[in-house]
Amino acid sequence: MTFNVSVLATSSLGDRSYLATDGQVAVVVDPQRDIDRILYLAGAAGVRITHVVETHIHNDYVSGGLDLARVTGAHYLVAAAEQVEFERLPVTDGDTLTVSDTMRLRATATPGHTFHHLSYILDHANDGDWQPVGVFTGGSLLFGTTGRTDLLGQQHTHELAHHQHTSARRLADLLPDGAEVWPTHGFGSFCSASQTDAPESTIGREKEVNPVLRLAADDFIAETLSGLDAYPAYYAHTGATNRNGPAPVHLTPVARIDAAELRRRVRAGEWVVDLRHRRAYAAAHLVGTVSLGLDGAMSTWLGWLISWGTPVTLLAETAAQIAEAQRELVRIGIDRPAGQATGEAERWAADREQLRKLPLADFAALAAARAGRLPTGLPTPDVVLDVRMANEWTAGHIAGAVHLPLPELPRRLADLPTGAVWVHCGSGYRATAAGSLLANAGRDVVVIDDRFAAAEAAGITLDGTEATRTPHDAAPTGRRS
């Protein structure tokens, strides 16, 4: 029989799901809500899914585990200690689940990311001799880091960090150095305490590079807690949805709407989201819309920015882009957009006055403007606004800039000083989203569409030392932003 573990990456959220198979039956670990991808993978391999496993109750995405188990008739494994509103096979530390003659799972308690977190050691049998191949670690031991420990409330953060240290070391003691590590989080996910440092790893490698296995408990806890930044507001909703039991997902096309209806929705204060690349948005867009291109982590930022339950209408160049956005959104619990429109921006406007441009510049232009050489057609930068996250700001920022992280901008627009705003982030993606919100609020705005790593070389004076990585701008795959 053919033994294989396939990775199914959801790069926009920085997560991975897994399909482990012996060539006949399969185990699925931490599936995303759009289960058709897993079903296709299993079908292509010609295997039957018999077990669906959750390492923990997820906060960053709506799980497809319950639906996948229903569709396939598989056993659904969830920690017995979790309080959930659906039937499942309760699992506790030390349970061994035989999947086939050559494949089995061993549940191992690894609290830290959550209190009831389980990791699953995958054993493979050769001539009846069981050997550990790897471990599905969920939000416990990640590549070069661990899952964050503050998602259940600040009152539990220190205790969970201590558990995280103990759990990682337990896995390192249980497994040989050559065992594979298969985490769910860590590839740009906000569930990770820091950013991943490799595409794959083993227990032996983690012993060499991972702070949780190199530092004493107190030092690890101090380092971990000092590095935690804000996480998306929609986590509060996805965690509850997963405990209650998510409904099956529907990805059929949503209703098309015309220019008159778009104008009504903008005037009503609904969210109309332009999914095109930011440069297309800057060239021409519908007044009142928000730029969140599909080339970045659109669903994360949208789910973080909106008031939950606000109707969302999607604009894109093609129907395929709308379908991609729908898929991204159901993963965080935004099930059915209120409508869609495709084509060019001119088709979405009832008249020419509804179209607007958004000025773009780079850091060289900002340096010139600050030196009194204002580029033609651009307003004087009265305010330089940095919309990156707190850790990015602390690592290094433009002298004299105002810091307001993008997720805080909608409710703090009135806090900005008066005058023209030049807004930047780490790449231009978040800055364009912020620029659209500022323009909708009547502000005179210029978006700096440039990498922050190039700012100093362009003549910008920085305070602090800027790390070159700015992981929250682009989708974690490194798609252009």
Side-chain angles (χ1 to χ4, degrees):
M1 288 188 238
T2 303
F3 179 79
N4 183 58
V5 177
S6 298
V7 177
L8 190 62
T10 303
S11 55
S12 56
L13 294 177
D15 292 323
R16 288 182 175 181
S17 305
Y18 299 90
L19 180 86
T21 175
D22 64 0
Q24 292 186 342
V25 297
V27 174
V28 176
V29 181
D30 289 344
Q32 289 278 334
R33 195 177 184 197
D34 48 330
I35 63 172
D36 57 324
R37 296 185 300 158
I38 285 284
L39 293 171
Y40 178 85
L41 196 62
V47 297
R48 179 171 58 91
I49 297 170
T50 59
H51 294 75
V52 179
V53 174
E54 301 284 9
T55 57
H56 61 291
I57 299 298
H58 306 283
N59 286 284
D60 65 324
Y61 66 87
V62 178
S63 173
L66 180 61
D67 194 26
L68 183 61
R70 286 170 178 159
V71 168
T72 61
H75 297 291
Y76 188 33
L77 281 60
V78 177
E82 294 287 7
Q83 299 297 312
V84 295
E85 300 298 321
F86 50 83
E87 294 292 326
R88 89 295 203 181
L89 179 62
V91 186
T92 60
D93 180 45
D95 285 352
T96 298
L97 300 108
T98 301
V99 179
S100 71
D101 291 341
T102 60
M103 190 165 61
R104 73 180 185 185
L105 294 171
R106 285 183 282 150
T108 306
T110 48
H113 189 51
T114 65
F115 279 107
H116 309 306
H117 190 287
L118 293 171
S119 295
Y120 289 85
I121 296 172
L122 179 65
D123 294 329
H124 184 233
N126 253 328
D127 297 325
D129 182 23
W130 291 101
Q131 295 293 331
V133 178
V135 57
F136 299 105
T137 58
S140 183
L141 182 66
L142 311 184
F143 294 168
T145 185
T146 58
R148 63 191 303 156
T149 64
D150 59 340
L151 298 183
L152 302 184
Q154 290 297 323
Q155 70 273 26
H156 301 302
T157 298
H158 189 277
E159 178 186 2
L160 284 171
H162 183 81
H163 286 316
Q164 195 75 296
H165 185 266
T166 301
S167 294
R169 287 173 175 247
R170 182 186 187 195
L171 290 176
D173 290 341
L174 283 172
L175 291 161
D177 285 356
E180 296 280 344
V181 177
W182 296 305
T184 301
H185 305 311
F187 311 94
S189 169
F190 280 94
C191 272
S192 174
S194 62
Q195 295 307 301
T196 186
D197 69 338
E200 59 185 28
S201 192
T202 62
I203 290 292
R205 180 183 178 278
E206 292 309 309
K207 288 179 179 178
E208 294 177 357
V209 303
N210 200 316
V212 75
L213 299 177
R214 297 177 68 246
L215 298 178
D218 289 345
D219 293 334
F220 165 75
I221 291 168
E223 180 177 297
T224 298
L225 300 191
S226 68
L228 294 176
D229 210 334
Y231 57 82
Y234 68 81
Y235 280 19
H237 304 283
T238 49
T241 297
N242 286 330
R243 292 184 185 282
N244 292 331
V249 65
H250 296 284
L251 291 172
T252 54
V254 295
R256 292 181 176 273
I257 56 176
D258 60 17
E261 177 62 13
L262 280 172
R263 176 161 55 184
R264 186 200 68 76
R265 293 184 183 192
V266 168
R267 287 177 174 175
E270 297 181 14
W271 275 66
V272 179
V273 178
D274 193 323
L275 302 168
R276 298 173 302 154
H277 191 276
R278 60 184 178 275
R279 296 191 187 103
Y281 182 89
H285 61 268
L286 192 64
V287 171
T289 58
V290 178
S291 173
L292 287 170
L294 280 173
D295 57 304
M298 177 274 299
S299 59
T300 294
W301 296 113
L302 177 58
W304 202 337
L305 288 166
I306 65 170
S307 296
W308 204 250
T310 301
V312 176
T313 298
L314 302 175
L315 306 179
E317 293 167 338
T318 67
Q321 291 168 340
I322 296 290
E324 180 183 350
Q326 280 187 252
R327 186 175 290 269
E328 297 283 0
L329 292 174
V330 298
R331 291 171 181 157
I332 67 166
I334 300 177
D335 284 7
R336 295 293 291 173
Q340 59 148 315
T342 57
E344 299 176 348
E346 289 75 14
R347 295 179 57 183
W348 307 331
D351 56 62
R352 295 291 300 180
E353 291 184 358
Q354 283 188 272
L355 292 177
R356 181 174 62 198
K357 295 183 178 182
L358 192 62
L360 300 180
D362 56 17
F363 283 111
L366 176 62
R370 283 185 145 191
R373 304 186 305 275
L374 186 67
T376 303
L378 296 180
T380 300
D382 300 306
V383 181
V384 175
L385 175 63
D386 184 339
V387 294
R388 298 174 303 153
M389 303 303 290
N391 282 349
E392 295 172 277
W393 166 269
T394 301
H397 55 268
I398 295 174
V402 173
H403 182 226
L404 191 57
L406 176 60
E408 299 179 24
L409 185 60
R411 60 185 173 83
R412 294 186 56 192
L413 285 166
D415 294 344
L416 282 176
T418 58
V421 180
W422 287 46
V423 57
H424 81 87
C425 59
S427 71
Y429 185 90
R430 286 173 289 176
T432 309
S436 64
L437 293 169
L438 289 162
N440 293 341
R443 297 299 296 262
D444 195 5
V445 60
V446 174
V447 170
I448 299 175
D449 183 24
D450 201 355
R451 304 294 301 182
F452 187 72
E456 192 167 22
I460 300 294
T461 301
L462 302 182
D463 287 338
T465 303
E466 166 61 20
T468 58
R469 298 175 67 189
T470 54
H472 300 311
D473 275 284
T477 50
R479 284 190 279 178
R480 290 179 300 123
S481 64

Coordinates of all heavy atoms in Angstrom, one line a residue, residues 253-325:
P253 N -23.4 31.1 -7.0 CA -23.3 32.5 -7.3 C -24.4 33.4 -6.6 O -25.5 32.9 -6.5 CB -23.5 32.6 -8.8 CG -23.0 31.3 -9.3 CD -23.5 30.3 -8.3
V254 N -24.0 34.5 -6.2 CA -25.0 35.5 -5.5 C -25.5 36.4 -6.6 O -25.0 36.5 -7.7 CB -24.3 36.3 -4.4 CG1 -23.9 35.3 -3.3 CG2 -23.1 37.1 -4.9
A255 N -26.6 37.1 -6.2 CA -27.3 38.0 -7.2 C -26.4 39.1 -7.8 O -25.6 39.7 -7.0 CB -28.5 38.6 -6.5
R256 N -26.6 39.3 -9.0 CA -26.0 40.5 -9.7 C -26.8 41.7 -9.4 O -28.0 41.7 -9.4 CB -25.8 40.2 -11.2 CG -24.9 39.1 -11.6 CD -24.8 39.0 -13.1 NE -23.8 38.0 -13.5 CZ -22.5 38.2 -13.6 NH1 -22.1 39.5 -13.5 NH2 -21.7 37.3 -14.0
I257 N -26.1 42.8 -9.3 CA -26.8 44.1 -9.0 C -26.3 45.2 -10.0 O -25.2 45.1 -10.5 CB -26.7 44.6 -7.6 CG1 -25.2 44.7 -7.2 CG2 -27.4 43.6 -6.6 CD1 -25.0 45.3 -5.8
D258 N -27.2 46.2 -10.2 CA -26.8 47.2 -11.2 C -26.3 48.4 -10.5 O -26.2 48.5 -9.3 CB -28.0 47.5 -12.1 CG -29.2 48.1 -11.3 OD1 -29.0 48.5 -10.1 OD2 -30.4 48.1 -11.8
A259 N -26.0 49.5 -11.4 CA -25.3 50.7 -10.8 C -26.2 51.4 -9.9 O -25.8 51.9 -8.8 CB -24.9 51.6 -12.0
A260 N -27.5 51.4 -10.1 CA -28.4 52.1 -9.2 C -28.5 51.5 -7.9 O -28.5 52.2 -6.8 CB -29.8 52.2 -9.9
E261 N -28.5 50.2 -7.8 CA -28.5 49.5 -6.6 C -27.2 49.6 -5.8 O -27.2 49.7 -4.6 CB -28.8 48.0 -6.8 CG -28.8 47.1 -5.5 CD -29.9 47.5 -4.5 OE1 -30.8 48.3 -4.8 OE2 -29.8 47.0 -3.4
L262 N -26.1 49.6 -6.6 CA -24.8 49.9 -5.9 C -24.8 51.2 -5.2 O -24.3 51.4 -4.1 CB -23.7 49.8 -7.0 CG -23.2 48.4 -7.3 CD1 -22.2 48.5 -8.5 CD2 -22.5 47.7 -6.1
R263 N -25.3 52.3 -5.9 CA -25.3 53.6 -5.3 C -26.2 53.6 -4.1 O -25.8 54.2 -3.0 CB -25.9 54.6 -6.3 CG -26.0 56.0 -5.7 CD -26.1 57.1 -6.8 NE -27.2 56.9 -7.7 CZ -27.4 57.6 -8.8 NH1 -26.6 58.7 -9.0 NH2 -28.4 57.4 -9.6
R264 N -27.3 52.9 -4.1 CA -28.2 52.8 -2.9 C -27.4 52.2 -1.7 O -27.5 52.6 -0.6 CB -29.4 52.0 -3.2 CG -30.5 52.0 -2.1 CD -31.5 50.9 -2.2 NE -30.9 49.6 -2.0 CZ -30.5 49.1 -0.8 NH1 -30.7 49.9 0.3 NH2 -30.0 47.9 -0.7
R265 N -26.7 51.1 -2.0 CA -26.0 50.4 -0.9 C -24.9 51.2 -0.3 O -24.7 51.2 0.9 CB -25.5 49.0 -1.5 CG -26.6 48.1 -1.8 CD -26.2 46.7 -2.2 NE -27.3 45.9 -2.6 CZ -27.3 44.6 -2.8 NH1 -26.1 44.0 -2.7 NH2 -28.4 44.0 -3.2
V266 N -24.2 51.9 -1.2 CA -23.1 52.8 -0.7 C -23.7 53.9 0.2 O -23.2 54.2 1.3 CB -22.3 53.4 -1.8 CG1 -21.4 54.5 -1.3 CG2 -21.5 52.3 -2.5
R267 N -24.8 54.5 -0.3 CA -25.4 55.5 0.5 C -26.0 55.0 1.8 O -26.1 55.8 2.8 CB -26.5 56.2 -0.3 CG -26.0 57.1 -1.4 CD -27.1 57.7 -2.3 NE -26.6 58.6 -3.3 CZ -27.3 59.2 -4.2 NH1 -28.6 58.9 -4.3 NH2 -26.8 60.0 -5.1
A268 N -26.4 53.7 1.9 CA -27.0 53.1 3.1 C -25.9 52.8 4.1 O -26.2 52.3 5.2 CB -27.8 51.9 2.7
G269 N -24.6 52.9 3.7 CA -23.5 52.6 4.6 C -23.1 51.2 4.6 O -22.4 50.7 5.5
E270 N -23.6 50.4 3.6 CA -23.2 49.0 3.5 C -21.7 48.9 3.0 O -21.2 49.9 2.4 CB -24.1 48.2 2.6 CG -25.6 48.2 3.1 CD -26.5 47.4 2.2 OE1 -26.0 46.7 1.3 OE2 -27.7 47.5 2.4
W271 N -21.1 47.8 3.2 CA -19.8 47.6 2.7 C -19.8 47.1 1.2 O -20.3 46.0 1.0 CB -19.0 46.6 3.5 CG -18.4 47.3 4.7 CD1 -19.0 47.9 5.8 CD2 -17.0 47.5 5.0 NE1 -18.1 48.4 6.7 CE2 -16.9 48.2 6.2 CE3 -15.8 47.1 4.3 CZ2 -15.6 48.6 6.8 CZ3 -14.6 47.5 4.8 CH2 -14.5 48.2 6.1
V272 N -19.2 47.9 0.3 CA -19.1 47.5 -1.1 C -17.6 47.4 -1.3 O -16.8 48.4 -1.2 CB -19.7 48.5 -2.0 CG1 -19.5 48.1 -3.5 CG2 -21.2 48.7 -1.7
V273 N -17.1 46.2 -1.5 CA -15.7 45.9 -1.5 C -15.2 45.6 -3.0 O -15.7 44.8 -3.7 CB -15.4 44.6 -0.7 CG1 -13.9 44.3 -0.7 CG2 -15.8 44.9 0.8
D274 N -14.2 46.4 -3.3 CA -13.5 46.3 -4.7 C -12.4 45.3 -4.5 O -11.4 45.6 -3.9 CB -13.1 47.6 -5.1 CG -12.7 47.7 -6.6 OD1 -12.1 46.7 -7.1 OD2 -13.0 48.7 -7.2
L275 N -12.5 44.2 -5.3 CA -11.5 43.1 -5.1 C -10.3 43.2 -6.1 O -9.4 42.4 -6.2 CB -12.2 41.7 -5.4 CG -13.3 41.4 -4.4 CD1 -14.1 40.2 -4.9 CD2 -12.8 41.1 -3.0
R276 N -10.3 44.2 -7.0 CA -9.3 44.4 -8.0 C -8.0 44.8 -7.3 O -7.9 45.2 -6.2 CB -9.7 45.4 -9.0 CG -11.0 45.1 -9.8 CD -11.4 46.3 -10.7 NE -11.6 47.5 -9.9 CZ -11.5 48.7 -10.3 NH1 -11.1 48.9 -11.5 NH2 -11.7 49.7 -9.5
H277 N -6.9 44.6 -8.1 CA -5.6 45.1 -7.6 C -5.6 46.5 -7.3 O -6.4 47.3 -7.9 CB -4.5 44.8 -8.6 CG -3.1 45.0 -8.1 ND1 -2.5 46.2 -8.1 CD2 -2.2 44.1 -7.6 CE1 -1.3 46.1 -7.6 NE2 -1.1 44.8 -7.3
R278 N -4.9 46.9 -6.3 CA -4.9 48.3 -5.8 C -4.6 49.4 -6.8 O -5.1 50.5 -6.8 CB -4.0 48.5 -4.6 CG -2.5 48.2 -4.9 CD -1.7 48.3 -3.6 NE -0.3 48.1 -3.8 CZ 0.2 46.8 -3.8 NH1 -0.6 45.8 -3.6 NH2 1.5 46.6 -4.0
R279 N -3.8 49.0 -7.8 CA -3.5 50.0 -8.8 C -4.7 50.2 -9.8 O -4.9 51.3 -10.3 CB -2.2 49.6 -9.6 CG -1.0 49.6 -8.7 CD 0.3 49.4 -9.4 NE 1.4 49.2 -8.4 CZ 2.0 48.1 -8.2 NH1 1.6 47.0 -8.8 NH2 3.0 48.0 -7.3
A280 N -5.4 49.2 -10.0 CA -6.6 49.3 -10.8 C -7.6 50.1 -10.0 O -8.3 51.0 -10.6 CB -7.2 47.9 -11.2
Y281 N -7.7 49.9 -8.7 CA -8.6 50.7 -7.9 C -8.2 52.1 -7.9 O -9.1 53.0 -8.0 CB -8.6 50.1 -6.4 CG -9.5 50.9 -5.5 CD1 -10.8 50.4 -5.3 CD2 -9.1 51.9 -4.7 CE1 -11.7 51.1 -4.4 CE2 -9.9 52.6 -3.8 CZ -11.2 52.1 -3.7 OH -12.1 52.8 -2.8
A282 N -6.9 52.4 -7.8 CA -6.4 53.8 -7.8 C -6.8 54.5 -9.1 O -7.1 55.7 -9.1 CB -4.9 53.8 -7.5
A283 N -6.7 53.8 -10.2 CA -6.9 54.4 -11.5 C -8.4 54.9 -11.6 O -8.7 55.9 -12.2 CB -6.6 53.5 -12.6
A284 N -9.3 54.1 -11.1 CA -10.8 54.5 -11.2 C -11.5 53.5 -10.3 O -11.4 52.3 -10.4 CB -11.3 54.4 -12.6
H285 N -12.4 54.1 -9.4 CA -13.2 53.2 -8.6 C -14.5 53.9 -8.2 O -14.6 55.1 -8.4 CB -12.5 52.8 -7.3 CG -12.1 54.0 -6.4 ND1 -10.9 54.6 -6.5 CD2 -12.7 54.6 -5.4 CE1 -10.8 55.6 -5.7 NE2 -11.9 55.6 -5.0
L286 N -15.4 53.2 -7.8 CA -16.7 53.7 -7.4 C -16.6 54.4 -6.0 O -16.1 53.8 -5.1 CB -17.7 52.6 -7.3 CG -19.2 52.9 -7.2 CD1 -19.7 53.7 -8.4 CD2 -20.0 51.7 -7.0
V287 N -17.1 55.7 -5.9 CA -17.0 56.4 -4.7 C -17.8 55.6 -3.6 O -18.8 55.1 -3.8 CB -17.7 57.8 -4.9 CG1 -17.9 58.5 -3.5 CG2 -16.8 58.7 -5.8
G288 N -17.1 55.5 -2.4 CA -17.8 54.9 -1.3 C -17.4 53.4 -1.1 O -17.7 52.8 -0.1
T289 N -16.6 52.9 -2.1 CA -16.1 51.5 -1.9 C -14.9 51.4 -1.1 O -14.2 52.4 -0.9 CB -16.0 50.9 -3.3 OG1 -15.0 51.6 -4.1 CG2 -17.3 50.9 -4.1
V290 N -14.5 50.2 -0.8 CA -13.3 49.9 0.0 C -12.4 49.0 -0.8 O -12.9 48.0 -1.4 CB -13.6 49.3 1.4 CG1 -12.3 48.9 2.1 CG2 -14.5 50.2 2.2
S291 N -11.1 49.3 -0.9 CA -10.2 48.5 -1.6 C -9.6 47.3 -0.8 O -9.0 47.6 0.2 CB -9.0 49.3 -2.2 OG -8.0 48.5 -2.7
L292 N -9.9 46.1 -1.2 CA -9.3 44.9 -0.5 C -9.1 43.9 -1.6 O -10.0 43.0 -1.9 CB -10.2 44.4 0.6 CG -10.3 45.2 1.9 CD1 -11.4 44.7 2.8 CD2 -8.9 45.1 2.6
G293 N -8.0 44.0 -2.3 CA -7.7 43.2 -3.5 C -7.5 41.7 -3.1 O -7.1 41.3 -2.0
L294 N -7.8 40.8 -4.1 CA -7.7 39.4 -3.9 C -6.2 39.0 -3.9 O -5.9 37.9 -3.5 CB -8.4 38.7 -5.0 CG -9.9 38.5 -4.8 CD1 -10.5 37.9 -6.1 CD2 -10.2 37.6 -3.6
D295 N -5.3 39.9 -4.2 CA -3.9 39.6 -4.2 C -3.3 39.6 -2.7 O -2.1 39.3 -2.5 CB -3.1 40.6 -5.0 CG -3.3 42.0 -4.6 OD1 -4.5 42.4 -4.6 OD2 -2.3 42.7 -4.4
G296 N -4.1 40.0 -1.8 CA -3.7 40.1 -0.4 C -4.7 39.3 0.5 O -5.5 38.6 0.0
A297 N -4.5 39.4 1.8 CA -5.4 38.6 2.7 C -6.7 39.3 2.9 O -7.1 39.8 4.0 CB -4.6 38.5 4.1
M298 N -7.5 39.3 1.8 CA -8.7 40.1 1.8 C -9.7 39.7 2.9 O -10.2 40.5 3.6 CB -9.4 39.8 0.4 CG -10.8 40.5 0.2 SD -12.2 39.5 0.8 CE -12.1 38.1 -0.2
S299 N -9.9 38.4 3.1 CA -10.9 38.0 4.1 C -10.5 38.3 5.5 O -11.4 38.7 6.3 CB -11.2 36.5 3.9 OG -10.0 35.7 4.2
T300 N -9.2 38.2 5.8 CA -8.8 38.6 7.1 C -9.1 40.0 7.4 O -9.6 40.4 8.5 CB -7.3 38.3 7.3 OG1 -7.1 36.9 7.2 CG2 -6.7 38.8 8.6
W301 N -8.7 40.9 6.5 CA -8.8 42.3 6.8 C -10.3 42.8 6.7 O -10.8 43.6 7.6 CB -8.0 43.2 5.8 CG -6.6 42.9 6.0 CD1 -5.7 42.3 5.1 CD2 -5.8 43.2 7.1 NE1 -4.4 42.3 5.6 CE2 -4.4 42.8 6.9 CE3 -6.0 43.8 8.4 CZ2 -3.4 42.9 7.8 CZ3 -5.0 44.0 9.3 CH2 -3.7 43.5 9.0
L302 N -11.1 42.2 5.8 CA -12.5 42.5 5.8 C -13.2 42.1 7.1 O -14.0 42.8 7.7 CB -13.2 41.9 4.6 CG -14.7 42.1 4.4 CD1 -15.0 43.6 4.4 CD2 -15.2 41.4 3.2
G303 N -12.9 40.8 7.5 CA -13.6 40.3 8.7 C -13.2 41.1 9.9 O -13.9 41.1 10.9
W304 N -12.0 41.7 9.9 CA -11.5 42.5 11.0 C -12.1 43.9 11.0 O -12.4 44.4 12.1 CB -10.0 42.6 10.9 CG -9.2 42.9 12.2 CD1 -9.7 43.5 13.3 CD2 -7.9 42.6 12.5 NE1 -8.7 43.6 14.3 CE2 -7.6 43.0 13.8 CE3 -6.8 42.0 11.7 CZ2 -6.3 42.9 14.4 CZ3 -5.6 41.8 12.3 CH2 -5.3 42.3 13.6
L305 N -12.3 44.4 9.9 CA -12.7 45.8 9.8 C -14.2 46.0 9.9 O -14.7 47.0 10.5 CB -12.3 46.4 8.4 CG -10.8 46.6 8.2 CD1 -10.5 46.9 6.8 CD2 -10.4 47.8 9.1
I306 N -15.1 45.1 9.4 CA -16.5 45.4 9.4 C -17.1 45.1 10.8 O -16.6 44.4 11.6 CB -17.2 44.5 8.3 CG1 -17.2 43.0 8.7 CG2 -16.7 44.8 7.0 CD1 -18.1 42.2 7.8
S307 N -18.3 45.7 11.0 CA -19.2 45.3 12.1 C -19.8 44.0 11.7 O -20.4 43.9 10.6 CB -20.2 46.4 12.3 OG -19.6 47.6 12.8
W308 N -19.7 43.0 12.5 CA -20.2 41.7 12.1 C -21.7 41.7 11.8 O -22.5 42.2 12.5 CB -19.9 40.7 13.2 CG -19.8 39.3 12.7 CD1 -20.7 38.3 12.9 CD2 -18.8 38.7 11.9 NE1 -20.3 37.1 12.3 CE2 -19.1 37.3 11.7 CE3 -17.6 39.2 11.4 CZ2 -18.3 36.5 11.0 CZ3 -16.8 38.3 10.7 CH2 -17.1 37.0 10.5
G309 N -22.0 41.1 10.6 CA -23.4 41.1 10.2 C -23.7 42.1 9.1 O -24.8 42.1 8.5
T310 N -22.8 43.1 8.9 CA -23.0 44.1 7.9 C -23.0 43.5 6.5 O -22.2 42.7 6.2 CB -21.8 45.2 8.0 OG1 -21.8 45.8 9.3 CG2 -22.1 46.3 6.9
P311 N -24.0 43.8 5.7 CA -24.0 43.3 4.3 C -22.8 43.7 3.5 O -22.3 44.8 3.6 CB -25.3 43.9 3.7 CG -26.1 44.3 4.9 CD -25.2 44.7 6.0
V312 N -22.3 42.7 2.8 CA -21.1 42.9 2.0 C -21.4 42.7 0.5 O -21.9 41.6 0.1 CB -20.0 42.0 2.4 CG1 -18.7 42.1 1.5 CG2 -19.6 42.3 3.9
T313 N -21.1 43.6 -0.4 CA -21.3 43.5 -1.8 C -19.9 43.5 -2.4 O -19.0 44.2 -2.0 CB -22.1 44.6 -2.4 OG1 -23.4 44.6 -1.8 CG2 -22.2 44.5 -3.9
L314 N -19.7 42.6 -3.4 CA -18.4 42.4 -4.0 C -18.3 42.9 -5.4 O -19.2 42.6 -6.2 CB -18.0 40.9 -4.0 CG -18.0 40.2 -2.6 CD1 -17.8 38.7 -2.8 CD2 -17.0 40.8 -1.7
L315 N -17.2 43.6 -5.8 CA -17.0 44.1 -7.1 C -15.7 43.4 -7.6 O -14.7 43.4 -6.9 CB -16.8 45.6 -7.1 CG -18.0 46.4 -6.5 CD1 -17.6 47.9 -6.6 CD2 -19.3 46.1 -7.2
A316 N -15.7 43.0 -8.9 CA -14.5 42.4 -9.4 C -14.5 42.4 -10.9 O -15.5 42.8 -11.5 CB -14.3 40.9 -9.0
E317 N -13.4 42.1 -11.5 CA -13.3 42.1 -13.0 C -14.0 40.9 -13.6 O -14.6 41.0 -14.7 CB -11.9 42.2 -13.4 CG -11.1 43.5 -13.1 CD -9.6 43.4 -13.2 OE1 -9.1 42.2 -13.2 OE2 -9.0 44.4 -13.4
T318 N -14.0 39.8 -12.9 CA -14.5 38.6 -13.5 C -15.4 37.8 -12.5 O -15.2 38.0 -11.2 CB -13.4 37.6 -14.0 OG1 -12.7 37.1 -12.8 CG2 -12.5 38.3 -14.9
A319 N -16.2 36.9 -13.0 CA -17.0 36.1 -12.1 C -16.2 35.1 -11.3 O -16.5 34.7 -10.2 CB -18.0 35.3 -12.9
A320 N -15.0 34.7 -11.9 CA -14.1 33.8 -11.2 C -13.5 34.4 -10.0 O -13.3 33.8 -8.9 CB -13.0 33.3 -12.1
Q321 N -13.3 35.7 -10.0 CA -12.7 36.5 -8.9 C -13.8 36.6 -7.8 O -13.5 36.5 -6.6 CB -12.3 37.8 -9.3 CG -11.0 37.8 -10.2 CD -10.7 39.1 -10.8 OE1 -11.5 40.0 -10.9 NE2 -9.4 39.3 -11.2
I322 N -15.0 36.8 -8.2 CA -16.1 36.8 -7.2 C -16.2 35.4 -6.5 O -16.4 35.3 -5.3 CB -17.5 37.1 -7.9 CG1 -17.5 38.5 -8.5 CG2 -18.6 36.9 -6.9 CD1 -17.5 39.6 -7.4
A323 N -16.1 34.3 -7.3 CA -16.2 33.0 -6.7 C -15.1 32.8 -5.7 O -15.2 32.1 -4.7 CB -16.2 32.0 -7.8
E324 N -13.9 33.2 -6.1 CA -12.7 33.1 -5.2 C -13.0 33.8 -3.9 O -12.7 33.3 -2.8 CB -11.5 33.6 -5.9 CG -10.2 33.5 -5.0 CD -9.0 34.0 -5.6 OE1 -9.0 34.4 -6.8 OE2 -7.9 34.1 -5.0
A325 N -13.5 35.0 -4.0 CA -13.8 35.8 -2.8 C -14.8 35.1 -1.9 O -14.7 35.1 -0.7 CB -14.2 37.2 -3.2

